[in-house]
Amino acid sequence: QVQLVESGGGSVQVGGSLRLSCAASQRPFSRTVYGWFRQTPGKGREFVALMRWRGSPFYADAVKGRFTISRDNPENRLYLQMNSLKVEDTGVYYCAQGAEYTSNQESYEYWGQGTQVTVGS
């Protein structure tokens, strides 16, 4: 059973930055896929970014150019650097692990508990 633990959420002003971290309990395989999703007020959970542990990232249009997904091999950690934050980025951010390179959240088997990000104007 894989456990994922997110951290790094908080409150920030519009235009500010935050870096989210996701710690995995097991060392991933090179083809393991990690995704970041978010639950925003009034909306369902939506895709933010994904990458294979050893592969190229893919971003939702809403965050492209502002967010960067990355990994730290020795620490088995996934990161989401969020810059130029907007009010509409407010939500609970989840880290997820799966085997398929897809933005479809149904394909992800393991999920973290989420971390709250609040962007104030």
PDB file of all heavy atoms in Angstrom, residues 27-43:
ATOM      1  N   ARG A  27       9.552   3.667  -3.044  1.00  0.00           N
ATOM      2  CA  ARG A  27      10.342   4.171  -4.154  1.00  0.00           C
ATOM      3  C   ARG A  27       9.612   3.871  -5.464  1.00  0.00           C
ATOM      4  O   ARG A  27       9.251   2.728  -5.727  1.00  0.00           O
ATOM      5  CB  ARG A  27      11.716   3.520  -4.168  1.00  0.00           C
ATOM      6  CG  ARG A  27      12.681   4.145  -5.145  1.00  0.00           C
ATOM      7  CD  ARG A  27      14.096   3.679  -4.910  1.00  0.00           C
ATOM      8  NE  ARG A  27      15.063   4.428  -5.682  1.00  0.00           N
ATOM      9  CZ  ARG A  27      15.533   5.618  -5.350  1.00  0.00           C
ATOM     10  NH1 ARG A  27      15.119   6.176  -4.235  1.00  0.00           N
ATOM     11  NH2 ARG A  27      16.408   6.235  -6.094  1.00  0.00           N
ATOM     12  N   PRO A  28       9.382   4.880  -6.300  1.00  0.00           N
ATOM     13  CA  PRO A  28       8.624   4.656  -7.530  1.00  0.00           C
ATOM     14  C   PRO A  28       9.464   3.984  -8.606  1.00  0.00           C
ATOM     15  O   PRO A  28      10.693   4.079  -8.603  1.00  0.00           O
ATOM     16  CB  PRO A  28       8.229   6.061  -7.948  1.00  0.00           C
ATOM     17  CG  PRO A  28       9.323   6.928  -7.415  1.00  0.00           C
ATOM     18  CD  PRO A  28       9.748   6.292  -6.134  1.00  0.00           C
ATOM     19  N   PHE A  29       8.793   3.316  -9.523  1.00  0.00           N
ATOM     20  CA  PHE A  29       9.429   2.808 -10.714  1.00  0.00           C
ATOM     21  C   PHE A  29       9.563   3.955 -11.715  1.00  0.00           C
ATOM     22  O   PHE A  29       8.899   4.983 -11.586  1.00  0.00           O
ATOM     23  CB  PHE A  29       8.611   1.667 -11.316  1.00  0.00           C
ATOM     24  CG  PHE A  29       8.502   0.469 -10.425  1.00  0.00           C
ATOM     25  CD1 PHE A  29       7.346   0.228  -9.704  1.00  0.00           C
ATOM     26  CD2 PHE A  29       9.555  -0.415 -10.284  1.00  0.00           C
ATOM     27  CE1 PHE A  29       7.233  -0.875  -8.871  1.00  0.00           C
ATOM     28  CE2 PHE A  29       9.463  -1.518  -9.448  1.00  0.00           C
ATOM     29  CZ  PHE A  29       8.299  -1.740  -8.740  1.00  0.00           C
ATOM     30  N   SER A  30      10.411   3.765 -12.719  1.00  0.00           N
ATOM     31  CA  SER A  30      10.646   4.845 -13.682  1.00  0.00           C
ATOM     32  C   SER A  30       9.375   5.216 -14.439  1.00  0.00           C
ATOM     33  O   SER A  30       9.216   6.352 -14.866  1.00  0.00           O
ATOM     34  CB  SER A  30      11.756   4.456 -14.659  1.00  0.00           C
ATOM     35  OG  SER A  30      11.389   3.293 -15.385  1.00  0.00           O
ATOM     36  N   ARG A  31       8.438   4.269 -14.586  1.00  0.00           N
ATOM     37  CA  ARG A  31       7.226   4.550 -15.347  1.00  0.00           C
ATOM     38  C   ARG A  31       6.042   4.941 -14.447  1.00  0.00           C
ATOM     39  O   ARG A  31       4.941   5.175 -14.934  1.00  0.00           O
ATOM     40  CB  ARG A  31       6.844   3.343 -16.202  1.00  0.00           C
ATOM     41  CG  ARG A  31       7.847   3.046 -17.301  1.00  0.00           C
ATOM     42  CD  ARG A  31       7.357   1.937 -18.217  1.00  0.00           C
ATOM     43  NE  ARG A  31       6.123   2.284 -18.902  1.00  0.00           N
ATOM     44  CZ  ARG A  31       6.052   3.034 -19.987  1.00  0.00           C
ATOM     45  NH1 ARG A  31       7.157   3.546 -20.515  1.00  0.00           N
ATOM     46  NH2 ARG A  31       4.882   3.285 -20.559  1.00  0.00           N
ATOM     47  N   THR A  32       6.284   5.021 -13.158  1.00  0.00           N
ATOM     48  CA  THR A  32       5.219   5.470 -12.252  1.00  0.00           C
ATOM     49  C   THR A  32       4.812   6.891 -12.625  1.00  0.00           C
ATOM     50  O   THR A  32       5.658   7.739 -12.888  1.00  0.00           O
ATOM     51  CB  THR A  32       5.694   5.429 -10.800  1.00  0.00           C
ATOM     52  OG1 THR A  32       6.032   4.084 -10.463  1.00  0.00           O
ATOM     53  CG2 THR A  32       4.614   5.928  -9.861  1.00  0.00           C
ATOM     54  N   VAL A  33       3.523   7.141 -12.621  1.00  0.00           N
ATOM     55  CA  VAL A  33       3.000   8.462 -12.956  1.00  0.00           C
ATOM     56  C   VAL A  33       2.486   9.138 -11.693  1.00  0.00           C
ATOM     57  O   VAL A  33       1.781   8.532 -10.889  1.00  0.00           O
ATOM     58  CB  VAL A  33       1.865   8.356 -13.991  1.00  0.00           C
ATOM     59  CG1 VAL A  33       1.267   9.733 -14.281  1.00  0.00           C
ATOM     60  CG2 VAL A  33       2.380   7.716 -15.267  1.00  0.00           C
ATOM     61  N   TYR A  34       2.863  10.390 -11.528  1.00  0.00           N
ATOM     62  CA  TYR A  34       2.369  11.194 -10.418  1.00  0.00           C
ATOM     63  C   TYR A  34       1.582  12.371 -10.968  1.00  0.00           C
ATOM     64  O   TYR A  34       1.966  12.973 -11.968  1.00  0.00           O
ATOM     65  CB  TYR A  34       3.514  11.720  -9.563  1.00  0.00           C
ATOM     66  CG  TYR A  34       4.127  10.670  -8.686  1.00  0.00           C
ATOM     67  CD1 TYR A  34       5.282  10.003  -9.078  1.00  0.00           C
ATOM     68  CD2 TYR A  34       3.546  10.338  -7.473  1.00  0.00           C
ATOM     69  CE1 TYR A  34       5.840   9.034  -8.282  1.00  0.00           C
ATOM     70  CE2 TYR A  34       4.098   9.361  -6.671  1.00  0.00           C
ATOM     71  CZ  TYR A  34       5.241   8.715  -7.078  1.00  0.00           C
ATOM     72  OH  TYR A  34       5.793   7.750  -6.291  1.00  0.00           O
ATOM     73  N   GLY A  35       0.506  12.669 -10.290  1.00  0.00           N
ATOM     74  CA  GLY A  35      -0.304  13.796 -10.707  1.00  0.00           C
ATOM     75  C   GLY A  35      -0.648  14.697  -9.542  1.00  0.00           C
ATOM     76  O   GLY A  35      -0.671  14.267  -8.386  1.00  0.00           O
ATOM     77  N   TRP A  36      -0.861  15.945  -9.850  1.00  0.00           N
ATOM     78  CA  TRP A  36      -1.418  16.900  -8.895  1.00  0.00           C
ATOM     79  C   TRP A  36      -2.811  17.273  -9.389  1.00  0.00           C
ATOM     80  O   TRP A  36      -3.011  17.579 -10.578  1.00  0.00           O
ATOM     81  CB  TRP A  36      -0.558  18.163  -8.805  1.00  0.00           C
ATOM     82  CG  TRP A  36       0.713  18.009  -8.047  1.00  0.00           C
ATOM     83  CD1 TRP A  36       1.969  17.822  -8.549  1.00  0.00           C
ATOM     84  CD2 TRP A  36       0.868  18.028  -6.620  1.00  0.00           C
ATOM     85  NE1 TRP A  36       2.883  17.724  -7.539  1.00  0.00           N
ATOM     86  CE2 TRP A  36       2.241  17.853  -6.342  1.00  0.00           C
ATOM     87  CE3 TRP A  36      -0.016  18.192  -5.547  1.00  0.00           C
ATOM     88  CZ2 TRP A  36       2.749  17.827  -5.034  1.00  0.00           C
ATOM     89  CZ3 TRP A  36       0.481  18.159  -4.254  1.00  0.00           C
ATOM     90  CH2 TRP A  36       1.853  17.984  -4.009  1.00  0.00           C
ATOM     91  N   PHE A  37      -3.753  17.235  -8.454  1.00  0.00           N
ATOM     92  CA  PHE A  37      -5.131  17.620  -8.741  1.00  0.00           C
ATOM     93  C   PHE A  37      -5.562  18.624  -7.671  1.00  0.00           C
ATOM     94  O   PHE A  37      -4.925  18.732  -6.629  1.00  0.00           O
ATOM     95  CB  PHE A  37      -6.051  16.391  -8.694  1.00  0.00           C
ATOM     96  CG  PHE A  37      -5.760  15.380  -9.775  1.00  0.00           C
ATOM     97  CD1 PHE A  37      -4.735  14.464  -9.614  1.00  0.00           C
ATOM     98  CD2 PHE A  37      -6.506  15.347 -10.934  1.00  0.00           C
ATOM     99  CE1 PHE A  37      -4.445  13.533 -10.605  1.00  0.00           C
ATOM    100  CE2 PHE A  37      -6.239  14.416 -11.932  1.00  0.00           C
ATOM    101  CZ  PHE A  37      -5.206  13.516 -11.764  1.00  0.00           C
ATOM    102  N   ARG A  38      -6.639  19.334  -7.947  1.00  0.00           N
ATOM    103  CA  ARG A  38      -7.134  20.272  -6.938  1.00  0.00           C
ATOM    104  C   ARG A  38      -8.656  20.285  -6.912  1.00  0.00           C
ATOM    105  O   ARG A  38      -9.306  20.081  -7.935  1.00  0.00           O
ATOM    106  CB  ARG A  38      -6.608  21.687  -7.189  1.00  0.00           C
ATOM    107  CG  ARG A  38      -7.093  22.330  -8.476  1.00  0.00           C
ATOM    108  CD  ARG A  38      -6.387  23.652  -8.712  1.00  0.00           C
ATOM    109  NE  ARG A  38      -6.857  24.319  -9.923  1.00  0.00           N
ATOM    110  CZ  ARG A  38      -6.276  25.399 -10.446  1.00  0.00           C
ATOM    111  NH1 ARG A  38      -5.212  25.937  -9.853  1.00  0.00           N
ATOM    112  NH2 ARG A  38      -6.764  25.950 -11.539  1.00  0.00           N
ATOM    113  N   GLN A  39      -9.163  20.523  -5.729  1.00  0.00           N
ATOM    114  CA  GLN A  39     -10.606  20.673  -5.501  1.00  0.00           C
ATOM    115  C   GLN A  39     -10.837  22.131  -5.193  1.00  0.00           C
ATOM    116  O   GLN A  39     -10.432  22.619  -4.128  1.00  0.00           O
ATOM    117  CB  GLN A  39     -11.044  19.802  -4.329  1.00  0.00           C
ATOM    118  CG  GLN A  39     -12.520  19.902  -4.024  1.00  0.00           C
ATOM    119  CD  GLN A  39     -13.331  18.821  -4.706  1.00  0.00           C
ATOM    120  OE1 GLN A  39     -12.874  17.697  -4.841  1.00  0.00           O
ATOM    121  NE2 GLN A  39     -14.527  19.149  -5.138  1.00  0.00           N
ATOM    122  N   THR A  40     -11.446  22.841  -6.123  1.00  0.00           N
ATOM    123  CA  THR A  40     -11.673  24.266  -5.929  1.00  0.00           C
ATOM    124  C   THR A  40     -13.116  24.503  -5.501  1.00  0.00           C
ATOM    125  O   THR A  40     -13.991  23.685  -5.797  1.00  0.00           O
ATOM    126  CB  THR A  40     -11.365  25.040  -7.214  1.00  0.00           C
ATOM    127  OG1 THR A  40     -12.152  24.498  -8.280  1.00  0.00           O
ATOM    128  CG2 THR A  40      -9.898  24.918  -7.580  1.00  0.00           C
ATOM    129  N   PRO A  41     -13.377  25.615  -4.801  1.00  0.00           N
ATOM    130  CA  PRO A  41     -14.731  25.903  -4.315  1.00  0.00           C
ATOM    131  C   PRO A  41     -15.744  25.917  -5.455  1.00  0.00           C
ATOM    132  O   PRO A  41     -15.553  26.589  -6.453  1.00  0.00           O
ATOM    133  CB  PRO A  41     -14.591  27.284  -3.675  1.00  0.00           C
ATOM    134  CG  PRO A  41     -13.162  27.378  -3.291  1.00  0.00           C
ATOM    135  CD  PRO A  41     -12.413  26.626  -4.341  1.00  0.00           C
ATOM    136  N   GLY A  42     -16.796  25.151  -5.290  1.00  0.00           N
ATOM    137  CA  GLY A  42     -17.858  25.132  -6.290  1.00  0.00           C
ATOM    138  C   GLY A  42     -17.592  24.243  -7.476  1.00  0.00           C
ATOM    139  O   GLY A  42     -18.423  24.144  -8.380  1.00  0.00           O
ATOM    140  N   LYS A  43     -16.442  23.573  -7.516  1.00  0.00           N
ATOM    141  CA  LYS A  43     -16.106  22.700  -8.638  1.00  0.00           C
ATOM    142  C   LYS A  43     -15.706  21.325  -8.136  1.00  0.00           C
ATOM    143  O   LYS A  43     -15.388  21.134  -6.979  1.00  0.00           O
ATOM    144  CB  LYS A  43     -14.932  23.277  -9.439  1.00  0.00           C
ATOM    145  CG  LYS A  43     -15.206  24.584 -10.147  1.00  0.00           C
ATOM    146  CD  LYS A  43     -13.991  24.985 -10.975  1.00  0.00           C
ATOM    147  CE  LYS A  43     -14.212  26.283 -11.699  1.00  0.00           C
ATOM    148  NZ  LYS A  43     -13.027  26.661 -12.510  1.00  0.00           N
TER     149      LYS A  43
END
